[in-house]
Amino acid sequence: MNLEGKITPEQAKRIAEHQRNVERSSRRKQISDVNKRFRRTGKNNRGHVRRKDWTDEAYRPEDEHDFDPLERVMPRDEQDRRRMVEEAAFQTPARDDATDETAATPLGRQGLVISAAGLSAQVEMDGEQVDCTVRGLMTELDTGFLNPVAVGDRVLVAEDGSGGWVVETVLPRTTLLSRPDPILAPRQLVIAANVDQLLIVSSWREPDIWLELIDRYLIAAERNGILPVICINKVDLIDDESEYHAALQPYVDLGCHILRTSAVTGVGVDELREGLEGSSTVVVGLSGTGKSSLLSAVQPDLQLRTSEISDFSGQGRHTTTRAQLLKLDGGGYVADTPGIREFGMAGLTLGELPAYFPEIDAVAAACRFSNCMHVTEPGCAVDAAAEEGLIPESRLHSYRLIWDELPV
Ligand SMILES: Nc1nc2c(ncn2[C@@H]2O[C@H](COP(=O)(O)OP(=O)(O)O)[C@@H](O)[C@H]2O)c(=O)[nH]1
Ligand SMILES: [Mg+2]
Ligand SMILES: [Zn+2]
């Protein structure tokens, strides 16, 4: 993160480079070369089968919340209402007038929110951490989110007159990651603000790599303007290198930045440390994949609150939405989080989905129907390309699983 509230030219360059890579993906080129062939054949009218076996339910931890299964049987207007709330939540990143207000009346000192829960927040100001309350003026109506202040927020803090501190204003956010509230969904909670990197941690084994979750996080990163970095941990448990490469090849083709780490052997930890330095990074991934271990390896004295979070079970699930910003010696911040599938997906529409799967979208022009969604339609070139091994099976699988969940 950058405390000036802007993405640095270096970070902007990296994001632009990532986006260019996605567009230029060699696989995509290869696919478009064979487009014509599929246009002619138009075979494969297989019906789409909803498969759930890919996702290993056994590894889904307590703190993950599935997409609301009721949505499918909900009355239409209720679906619409929920959708509108989601969209409003996603599109209201900050109060526009915040900067002007500051300029007009000096409301206080600027600080960075290190942790936040409800109407209390820990704020770092001039290297010092103070506990603050949050002025009750910032309501859900103003911000579109249930919580007024989140980790990573830059805020203005004033003395409350009795020795305490009050967060008066949240400065406009550059980026934002949110998730549906576990109980009040689809109303959204902000998980972290002003983040510039999303470190997607997946273990190779124990638990097995979960590609669908990686694909979801890639979407979340891209649509929120955050640079994704895929980190495959526990590479000490790889026993078949070719299997590893086959699983990761789709992401190599997309031009993703991929780290290969082991918190046990120390492989890749230096590279990870370098990647984190100078940025503000949110770490996401299933519990048990080694997020805390990796952060400890990067910097042994990081005060990891994560065990506290993952040990927490039972009714107090709201605690899992807490994240804490940890300061890195080399500059920058990291926030560890529990695994949340719906991260950053609020308001995603069916029509937008293909754009997040460029290797699928690249073939779409050859589908029989111009509005083909590549799910059950006859003459789908994506289906045909997948049969030929030109589209990674795992990516198409993720696409269809996410497609199934999006409101029509
Ligand atoms: N074999 C192996 N085990 C690891 C590695 N990293 C973490 N672990 C183990 O995986 C378990 C979960 O790690 P933890 O850091 O708590 O995961 P988190 O829930 O993602 O924070 C612990 O028992 C770690 O010792 C690794 O690189 N290799
Ligand atoms: Mg942890
Ligand atoms: Zn199609």
Side-chain angles (χ1 to χ4, degrees):
M1 169 169 344
N2 156 351
L3 299 181
E4 270 70 58
K6 285 202 183 93
I7 291 173
T8 64
E10 174 57 24
Q11 287 156 352
K13 224 174 81 191
R14 284 166 66 195
I15 291 174
E17 191 184 326
H18 167 74
Q19 282 163 350
R20 267 199 308 277
N21 277 335
V22 169
E23 278 155 22
R24 283 186 196 156
S25 137
S26 57
R27 177 65 60 108
R28 179 173 180 166
K29 197 158 165 290
Q30 189 189 346
I31 286 166
S32 57
D33 288 342
V34 296
N35 261 355
K36 287 192 193 95
R37 199 147 56 86
F38 290 118
R39 201 189 295 272
R40 277 198 308 273
T41 60
K43 54 166 185 169
N44 281 304
N45 306 348
R46 279 183 304 134
H48 170 52
V49 184
R50 283 184 190 210
R51 264 171 48 186
K52 291 288 178 197
D53 53 327
W54 197 280
T55 305
D56 196 336
E57 301 285 338
Y59 292 128
R60 191 173 295 170
E62 292 272 279
D63 56 15
E64 302 226 355
H65 299 277
D66 277 333
F67 189 81
D68 187 353
L70 287 177
E71 183 139 302
R72 286 188 229 291
V73 292
M74 240 176 239
R76 175 107 218 146
D77 54 349
E78 173 60 11
Q79 278 193 33
D80 289 347
R81 191 191 65 82
R82 287 192 169 206
R83 180 74 170 284
M84 271 167 55
V85 175
E86 280 198 11
E87 277 170 9
F90 182 65
Q91 287 165 2
T92 319
R95 286 169 40 168
D96 289 335
D97 59 351
T99 343
D100 294 339
E101 240 172 55
T102 326
T105 46
L107 276 178
R109 292 160 69 188
Q110 188 170 325
L112 174 69
V113 176
I114 298 298
S115 72
L119 289 180
S120 65
Q122 224 182 9
V123 177
E124 188 182 280
M125 293 189 299
D126 306 322
E128 198 190 325
Q129 287 184 11
V130 294
D131 289 321
C132 301
T133 54
V134 177
R135 189 165 302 286
L137 296 173
M138 291 168 284
T139 66
E140 190 187 355
L141 264 182
D142 291 328
T143 65
F145 295 96
L146 287 166
N147 53 338
V149 173
V151 153
D153 266 327
R154 292 170 309 108
V155 293
L156 295 177
V157 175
E159 281 176 274
D160 69 358
S162 52
W165 295 93
V166 191
V167 172
E168 295 279 357
T169 310
V170 177
L171 297 177
R173 293 162 171 157
T174 55
T175 65
L176 184 151
L177 271 173
S178 69
R179 63 164 296 182
D181 183 271
I183 294 148
L184 303 173
R187 292 161 75 193
Q188 297 278 309
L189 280 168
V190 181
I191 300 298
N194 304 322
V195 167
D196 45 47
Q197 282 192 143
L198 190 68
L199 186 74
I200 304 167
V201 179
S202 186
S203 46
W204 175 247
R205 292 283 178 261
E206 299 176 17
D208 279 350
I209 188 166
W210 185 3
L211 297 174
E212 186 210 338
L213 193 62
I214 294 179
D215 293 331
R216 285 174 179 275
Y217 286 141
L218 286 177
I219 295 174
E222 199 181 335
R223 65 198 297 263
N224 292 289
I226 298 169
L227 183 74
V229 177
I230 297 173
C231 175
I232 307 301
N233 190 39
K234 307 199 189 183
V235 295
D236 54 292
L237 301 180
I238 296 178
D239 46 33
D240 181 353
E241 278 291 333
S242 61
E243 202 188 330
Y244 174 87
H245 287 292
L248 273 302
Q249 191 61 44
Y251 306 103
V252 174
D253 290 341
L254 286 171
C256 292
H257 191 37
I258 304 168
L259 293 173
R260 181 185 159 122
T261 62
S262 168
V264 167
T265 67
V267 165
V269 169
D270 288 342
E271 208 184 334
L272 173 60
R273 188 183 301 109
E274 276 167 35
L276 295 175
E277 274 173 11
S279 292
S280 173
T281 306
V282 163
V283 185
V284 291
L286 277 184
S287 69
T289 54
K291 298 182 295 298
S292 304
S293 308
L294 279 174
L295 293 182
S296 298
V298 161
Q299 188 174 312
D301 69 346
L302 278 181
Q303 299 160 359
L304 298 181
R305 287 277 194 87
T306 46
S307 54
E308 203 179 285
I309 288 169
S310 50
D311 288 345
F312 206 99
S313 54
Q315 298 308 303
R317 281 191 165 175
H318 59 282
T319 54
T320 61
T321 59
R322 286 189 66 166
Q324 193 188 16
L325 219 51
L326 307 163
K327 199 169 191 165
L328 294 165
D329 290 340
Y333 292 86
V334 284
D336 197 355
T337 66
I340 302 164
R341 283 171 81 220
E342 303 92 337
F343 237 7
M345 304 286 275
L348 181 67
T349 63
L350 280 177
E352 288 163 4
L353 188 61
Y356 295 106
F357 289 84
E359 69 275 67
I360 291 175
D361 208 25
V363 185
C367 293
R368 185 183 301 164
F369 301 113
S370 62
N371 60 351
C372 184
M373 289 305 293
H374 328 305
V375 181
T376 53
E377 299 90 336
C380 175
V382 170
D383 234 11
E387 291 253 309
E388 300 275 320
L390 295 167
I391 291 175
E393 197 190 330
S394 66
R395 291 275 294 166
L396 185 54
H397 189 77
S398 297
Y399 170 88
R400 287 174 172 167
L401 287 177
I402 298 167
W403 192 91
D404 268 353
E405 288 184 1
L406 295 179
V408 180

